[in-house]
Structures are given as C-alpha cells and as structure tokens.
Amino acid sequence: MAEKTAYSQAFHSGRYDKASGLLGKYDNVRRFWEDQVTSIFLRPALNDLVENKRKRLERLRVLDLGCGSGDGFDLIMGVTTKDPGIYEYITAALTDDMLKEYVGLDLNEDLLRQAEEYYGQAPKMRFVQGDLTHGLPPQIMQEEEPFDFYFTSYGTLSHFHDHQAVDLVADISKHAPHKAIVMLDWLGRYTYEWQNLWHHPVDQEYFMDYRISYIYPEDQRDKVEVASFPLRLMSRDEIMKIVAEASRKSGVQVKPLVFFDRSIFIGRHMDTGDYNKNCPKLRGPVNSLFESYVRTDLESLFVNYVPRQGFAPINNFFEMFFMSCNALVEYTISLLSKYSCDTATFQSPPAQVLPYYPEPLKEAMHTMRRVVEGVGWVKFGDARANMIESHLAYSLRKLEMELQPGTGMGHGLVGIFEINK
Ligand SMILES: C[S@@+](CC[C@H](N)C(=O)[O-])C[C@H]1O[C@@H](n2cnc3c(N)ncnc32)[C@H](O)[C@@H]1O
C-alpha cells in the first residue's frame, strides 16, 4: 500500500515522466536554441560589465524583472566568455565568485513559490513580490542598492502598455549606476507565426490575444478551453520610441547596444498554426535534431513560405531567410546520401556551394560538410542522430542569428542597452 502511494505520488509530481527534450516548457529548442541565442547576443555586454567590475574590485548585482520561476538565473549564468576555446572547463562569463546577488521580482505568488522551491537554498538568490505596472516598485527604488544588470526575459514587457514601459525604463535609468546593462524583452510584431496579425497599424499599440495552446498535445487543443491573455507586439522603432521617452523623462542616456530577433524559425506558435495556418510545424523536428539517439526526417524541415500581400519588405526577408534554411537542409541531405561510412568518403561530389549565397549560409554548408566527413564514419553511438543532426540545428540557429534584421521578425524581440550617466 505504502509502495502504491509512493509511486502514485511520484507519478502525479510530473518528475516521474520520461526524460526528454522533445516537449514541454524546457524542450531542447528552449535550452539549446532560444536560451543560447539570448546568451550569445548578451555575451559582449556581459563580458565587458564583468571585466569592469573586476577591475574595480566589485561584484555584480542582478535584478530579474518578471522573473517567474527564476529561469533567468540559469540563462545569465549560462552566458559564456568571448572565446572559451575547446580546452577550458569553466567557460561562464559570470562565474559564481563574481556574482554578489541575484534578485528576482514577480507579481505572481505561485511562480515565486516555485522559484523559492528551485533556488531557495542558494545563498546569493532572493525573490520578492512586486508590481511593475507603475514602474519599479518602492521597495526597489527606495530600499535597494543599484544593480549592474536589469533584465527581463521571454516577452515580459509585452504585459505592459507603452506608458507603463516608459515609466519602468525611466525608473531603471534613475536607479541604475553608470554603465549598467538593461535587457528589454517583448514579443515581435512580424513573426511568420502570426502573419494574420501583421495588418494592425504600427502607429497604434497593438495587443494580441495570446493563447498558450502549445502546452496541450495537438489532438487535445480543440477540446480544451485554452486560456488567452493580451500581449503587446513590438517592432524595433516602437521600442526606440519608448526608450527615447524614458530617457527624456529621467534625463539619463540609454544607449542601444544591440537588437535581436529570437525564434524566427521555431517560435512555439509555428506548430499550433493558431495565427497562420500556413506555418510548417518546425519546433517538433528541431527538438528531434537536438535529441540524442533520435533520427529526424530532414524533409520535415523544409519551409514553403506563403507571402502576405502588401508586405513586400517583410516577405522579401522571409523569402531569403527560409530559402537559405531550405538550401542548408537540402545540402545536408545530399551530404548524407553521398557519404559512405565504410570508406569514410563521399562516393560522388556533394552539391555545390554557390559563390553568391549569403556568407552565413556558405559557412554553414562548409561546416556541415566537414562535420559529416569528420564523424560520419564513427561506429559507436549513432553519428547521425547524436552529432550530425545536432550540428544541423546549430547551423540553422546560426542562420537565424546572422541573417536577421533585429526588427521584430521573430517570436521575441529583445533590445540590450547601456546606461550612461
Ligand atoms: C512571459 S513570463 C516570463 C517569465 C520568466 N522571466 C521566464 O523567462 O520564463 C512574464 C512574467 O512577468 C510577470 N508579470 C506580469 N505582469 C507583471 C507585473 N505587473 N509585475 C510584475 N511581474 C509581472 C508574470 O507573472 C510572468 O512571470
């Protein structure tokens, strides 16, 4: 009886599920694509910040705004140094000895409880409840020392109206010291996932009705009542307006360092088709590319982009982007079809890499060829599933990072800024 209760408890806790990165909030795409893209764009600013603090014999204080269950902590501690090479064991830009304190702030008690459960024992981490609708709450503005890094992640700022975002950024600018970094994270306006919403005028604040339908298995989505809530969609120009207004209000210069689009290829709503029936289901296959001992049908990665009339510049970007991704997938298929594991050579020459292809595509193709040649012959383990496919995922991620304009073409649009006083 006791045994039965113990097993039932384990089952209902969800921790007895099969370990896999194929589904769920922390799927492979979240960990190896989305978190990594954020951390790679953040790397230069965080490296500089850590170096400057070290020179001044000081350590970093970090404030995670809208921290939820505290996932941002792992995100920032996972950012690597500029060039870790292959030999180094410790590659973190911000090592634990350089962290003075991480403070996570959120409105939601349940999420804060979960954060406490995960990280409550960590001596340098603290979670506080607070409301950001009127700027930084008084317990931060008046009672906390300045932080070196103020950040939001995974669309937190989309919960707010523009005037509220202005107040928040203005308060951060007043509270922050010279050279602090600020990371502001919204949902993008022009992702292919919600092409049906592109027509909303860009001179008006637009909030989409966001459905978290992707947490349900596909065959249940129509049967359950999926909760929805409003989220602000943003372009880079709109963010710049908010930041300029906040800067004017606070009298502090807020200098943009970089903008980036996150999840152009694999946003979560690609697979639901809730806001664009033409989206291919890409997140599932990309999760599979990253998963060891699971082979992926590479044909399922091809995108047949359907343009939207009246949006020529955006259509042109997506044409170029998806055609480049398709070319890389097609090339990889041709490499695999021509490679002989027995002789460790290509039996006939692989397809050509054409000189007029975009540079990142050429580099990704050359790399895929070297990876197939380098490991295709390995007999133990599954070289294709464990090494070649994961590298195809990293190469597609590279295309997303290097071909993008950073203007709102992905599920997320993020701006990183420096405070100058
Ligand atoms: C999209 S989630 C991001 C959570 C987390 N940062 C992550 O990366 O998973 C947005 C978070 O903002 C919080 N939030 C929404 N409105 C808020 C408010 N007015 N004040 C403080 N937090 C708020 C939500 O509770 C939620 O945890």
Side-chain angles (χ1 to χ4, degrees), residues 74-336:
D74 292 332
L75 179 69
I76 55 158
M77 297 308 278
V79 177
T80 53
T81 49
K82 273 176 200 142
D83 181 16
I86 201 163
Y87 175 66
E88 294 298 327
Y89 169 63
I90 294 173
T91 59
L94 175 56
T95 45
D96 188 55
D97 60 316
M98 277 305 291
L99 177 73
K100 188 171 177 191
E101 191 172 34
Y102 163 100
V103 178
L105 180 144
D106 205 282
L107 187 59
N108 187 303
E109 285 166 15
D110 293 330
L111 293 174
L112 286 171
R113 207 170 305 120
Q114 198 174 37
E116 288 285 355
E117 213 177 284
Y118 293 155
Y119 299 103
Q121 301 304 316
K124 293 183 188 172
M125 294 177 74
R126 187 156 53 93
F127 293 95
V128 294
Q129 192 177 20
D131 185 0
L132 297 167
T133 35
H134 306 292
L136 281 182
Q139 81 250 41
I140 300 287
M141 275 309 264
Q142 289 153 26
E143 292 163 30
E144 291 281 351
E145 298 275 300
F147 292 89
D148 304 290
F149 182 25
Y150 299 73
F151 81 99
T152 53
S153 52
Y154 289 101
T156 294
L157 285 169
S158 281
H159 286 283
F160 303 100
H161 283 282
D162 291 6
H163 70 91
Q164 295 169 322
V166 167
D167 287 348
L168 181 60
V169 178
D171 279 355
I172 292 173
S173 325
K174 287 186 227 157
H175 192 256
H178 177 54
K179 290 276 182 194
I181 310 174
V182 183
M183 184 162 91
L184 305 174
D185 195 316
W186 276 272
L187 293 194
R189 242 189 207 261
Y190 297 113
T191 177
Y192 188 38
E193 292 159 273
W194 36 80
Q195 194 186 49
N196 297 354
L197 310 177
W198 288 1
H199 61 282
H200 291 281
V202 77
D203 56 356
Q204 289 168 22
E205 257 184 75
Y206 176 67
F207 283 80
M208 79 183 286
D209 198 17
Y210 192 84
R211 290 159 50 86
I212 319 191
S213 41
Y214 46 77
I215 59 171
Y216 300 102
E218 199 176 340
D219 56 347
Q220 286 175 29
R221 279 182 206 141
D222 291 342
K223 295 178 196 119
V224 288
E225 182 101 7
V226 177
S228 71
F229 49 88
L231 285 181
R232 170 80 164 103
L233 301 187
M234 284 299 241
S235 60
R236 186 200 307 199
D237 291 345
E238 290 169 284
I239 297 181
M240 282 307 292
K241 263 192 215 154
I242 287 176
V243 170
E245 180 58 17
S247 189
R248 193 196 58 73
K249 234 178 134 176
S250 61
V252 176
Q253 196 202 351
V254 184
K255 181 178 143 196
L257 298 178
V258 67
F259 281 91
F260 63 93
D261 296 307
R262 185 184 50 229
S263 315
I264 303 173
F265 194 68
I266 34 68
R268 290 195 189 262
H269 276 294
M270 282 296 228
D271 289 38
T272 66
D274 280 1
Y275 309 92
N276 177 9
K277 290 280 172 246
N278 298 320
C279 281
K281 293 180 172 54
L282 292 171
R283 195 165 180 118
V286 176
N287 273 327
S288 166
L289 288 181
F290 283 120
E291 189 84 356
S292 287
Y293 284 108
V294 175
R295 289 192 180 204
T296 312
D297 172 10
L298 300 187
E299 306 259 339
S300 63
L301 293 162
F302 285 126
V303 181
N304 174 12
Y305 176 71
V306 179
R308 180 127 189 140
Q309 293 311 310
F311 293 89
I314 300 173
N315 287 329
N316 290 343
F317 164 73
F318 282 117
E319 289 288 351
M320 177 278 295
F321 174 69
F322 285 126
M323 287 303 283
S324 297
C325 295
N326 287 347
L328 179 62
V329 173
E330 198 171 347
Y331 182 68
T332 306
I333 293 173
S334 98
L335 291 173
L336 295 175

Side-chain angles (χ1 to χ4, degrees), residues 351-364:
Q352 269 191 307
V353 177
L354 297 169
Y356 53 80
Y357 284 168
E359 267 325 299
L361 174 60
K362 284 194 279 187
E363 280 172 35

